[in-house]
Amino acid sequence: MPDGAVETSTEAAPAAAGPVEAEWAAAVAAVRAVPADGRVLLICHVNPDGDALGSMLGFGLALRRLGVGRLQATFPGPFEVPETLRGLPGEELLVPAAEAYPDPDLVVCFDAASESRLGDLVDRLATAGTALVLDHHASNTRFGGVNLVEPGAAATSVVVDELLTRLGVPLDAGIAECLYVALTTDTGSFRFEATTPAVHRLAARLLATGIRPGDISRRIFDTRPFGAVRLFGEVLGRARLEPAAAGGRGLVWTYATLDDLARHGQRPYVLEALIDSVRCTAEADVSCVVKQIAPGEWAVSLRSKGAVDVSRVAVALGGGGHRFAAGFTGRGDAEQVVDAIRDQLDAALIDVRR
Ligand code: AMP
Ligand code: MN
Ligand code: MN
């Protein structure tokens, strides 16, 4: 945050220290060192969300303004952008992972807490001239050569904005739309705890470029096919409430299979929004959606209202994330996945007396 020195005591204290000056300087130098005809590869995490894609494309547009000629943006796994995130400015930078530069001059990773989130593209960390990591997960393993990791930041786009300021790239409407999508995604449209005065100041600067928040929010959050509406109805209808779980704080969970998706003619990414309906449950602190991605394999979303550090649960089960929003890949059937979660919940209770 450029004006960090004048933050008042009403600001939430960052969860942990962000990058030191030398790291910012090294990141600026790494970008400036790319020759005019150099190749830059931008990578965001598998199964990209609004923060991953928005931060990456916003930074890509800024590099284009800086005159970096050969730019690619990509992500591992199926080359499929969720419908709600299609049409973002800078989307023309996207290439399938198989076409990504094998040995770019610079690689920049977005919103990925660990190498595992880069899938098959992880080899670029070794083949690239320089590897730069931009992220906001407390669990980030600092797998880059230069790491800009700000655990107190509401979204990776906050880190991108700071780097753009230091690079002297002004915001334009294209960059701003991408960063706004990222910021609203990770703050739940400015509802979550990480929504600091600095977040609203950034939002104000983004809106000042003339972007249309109503249109953007409707597209990103409030649009889904009728088949998905029916699918949500079915999957929510089978949700289960376990009041005794998590030391009596309660767990609510549901699952969706590939067969459910097929019956309603839906793609897997439509289920990303489902957790937001499940986590409304008043009687449960912890909420969970178990989404089948292959036979015996499930993408798990976990949320907490504050009594449980769900990142501890996720990390214990091979995943990661934030304190109150985390995920992992589960094995077995849906019941077995939830059994494994239940076993971890008590150990992840946050001691509120501290
Ligand atoms: P999601 O429930 O997919 O929206 O993810 C919530 C948070 O958990 C995000 O910050 C993700 O980065 C993180 N996360 C989700 N799945 C995984 C995974 N398999 N491994 C590591 N982190 C994950
Ligand atoms: Mn993300
Ligand atoms: Mn994020």
Side-chain angles (χ1 to χ4, degrees):
M1 142 187 4
D3 52 351
V6 294
E7 295 293 7
T8 69
S9 58
T10 56
E11 303 249 338
V20 297
E21 278 304 317
E23 289 172 311
W24 287 115
V28 169
V31 173
R32 296 222 178 274
V34 177
D37 62 343
R39 292 147 307 150
V40 177
L41 178 63
L42 311 178
I43 308 175
C44 70
H45 67 68
V46 65
N47 187 17
D49 52 28
D51 188 28
L53 211 57
S55 294
M56 176 169 77
L57 294 181
F59 192 71
L61 288 170
L63 288 188
R64 197 154 75 184
R65 280 192 70 152
L66 275 177
V68 174
R70 295 202 280 166
L71 268 174
Q72 290 182 334
T74 192
F75 52 86
F79 188 56
E80 187 173 12
V81 175
E83 223 152 85
T84 50
L85 293 173
R86 285 180 207 160
L88 280 180
E91 150 183 274
E92 63 281 1
L93 299 173
L94 287 171
V95 299
E99 292 169 25
Y101 300 130
D103 53 353
D105 296 283
L106 173 67
V107 69
V108 190
C109 302
F110 298 85
D111 204 37
S114 64
E115 290 164 282
S116 67
R117 302 283 281 163
L118 303 179
D120 289 343
L121 289 160
V122 68
D123 65 331
R124 304 308 198 280
L125 296 172
T127 60
T130 309
L132 180 54
V133 166
L134 273 63
D135 188 35
H136 68 129
H137 290 89
S139 62
N140 188 287
T141 57
R142 299 175 174 269
F143 55 88
V146 180
N147 299 283
L148 300 181
V149 180
E150 237 180 294
T156 294
S157 59
V158 172
V159 184
V160 170
D161 172 66
E162 165 95 44
L163 183 54
L164 295 189
T165 301
R166 289 167 182 265
L167 284 165
V169 186
L171 295 174
D172 59 28
I175 298 171
E177 179 167 340
C178 290
L179 299 188
Y180 190 82
V181 165
L183 192 63
T184 52
T185 296
D186 270 27
T187 59
S189 297
F190 309 107
R191 285 174 297 169
F192 301 156
E193 225 55 67
T195 309
T196 57
V199 163
H200 279 291
R201 283 196 291 270
L202 172 55
R205 286 195 290 116
L206 298 174
L207 291 173
T209 64
I211 58 171
R212 298 178 58 87
D215 290 349
I216 295 171
S217 297
R218 191 174 313 107
R219 210 175 65 226
I220 306 289
F221 305 116
D222 298 335
T223 304
R224 66 182 60 108
F226 186 58
V229 172
R230 307 260 310 193
L231 170 66
F232 277 34
E234 193 177 325
V235 174
L236 287 172
R238 65 167 82 115
R240 287 189 231 167
L241 177 65
E242 301 184 14
R249 302 304 191 113
L251 166 70
V252 58
W253 65 276
T254 191
Y255 67 94
T257 64
L258 291 175
D259 184 58
D260 294 327
L261 287 168
R263 261 184 296 105
H264 292 279
Q266 295 304 306
R267 305 291 304 149
Y269 57 72
V270 307
L271 292 170
E272 298 308 309
L274 189 65
I275 188 71
D276 289 320
S277 300
V278 178
R279 69 181 172 81
C280 292
T281 306
E283 295 86 344
D285 181 88
V286 180
S287 51
C288 169
V289 176
V290 181
K291 298 163 278 191
Q292 190 177 32
I293 46 183
E297 201 176 323
W298 308 79
V300 182
S301 287
L302 290 167
R303 301 290 185 270
S304 163
K305 292 178 191 163
V308 173
D309 180 348
V310 286
S311 76
R312 281 186 68 174
V313 177
V315 167
L317 298 171
H322 308 283
R323 222 165 169 216
F324 302 137
F328 68 97
T329 302
R331 317 267 167 201
D333 61 31
E335 293 275 358
Q336 288 169 322
V337 172
V338 178
D339 287 346
I341 293 167
R342 217 181 281 109
D343 288 347
Q344 297 295 332
L345 284 176
D346 286 352
L349 277 171
I350 292 168
D351 185 350
V352 288
R353 288 165 303 176
R354 266 182 306 181

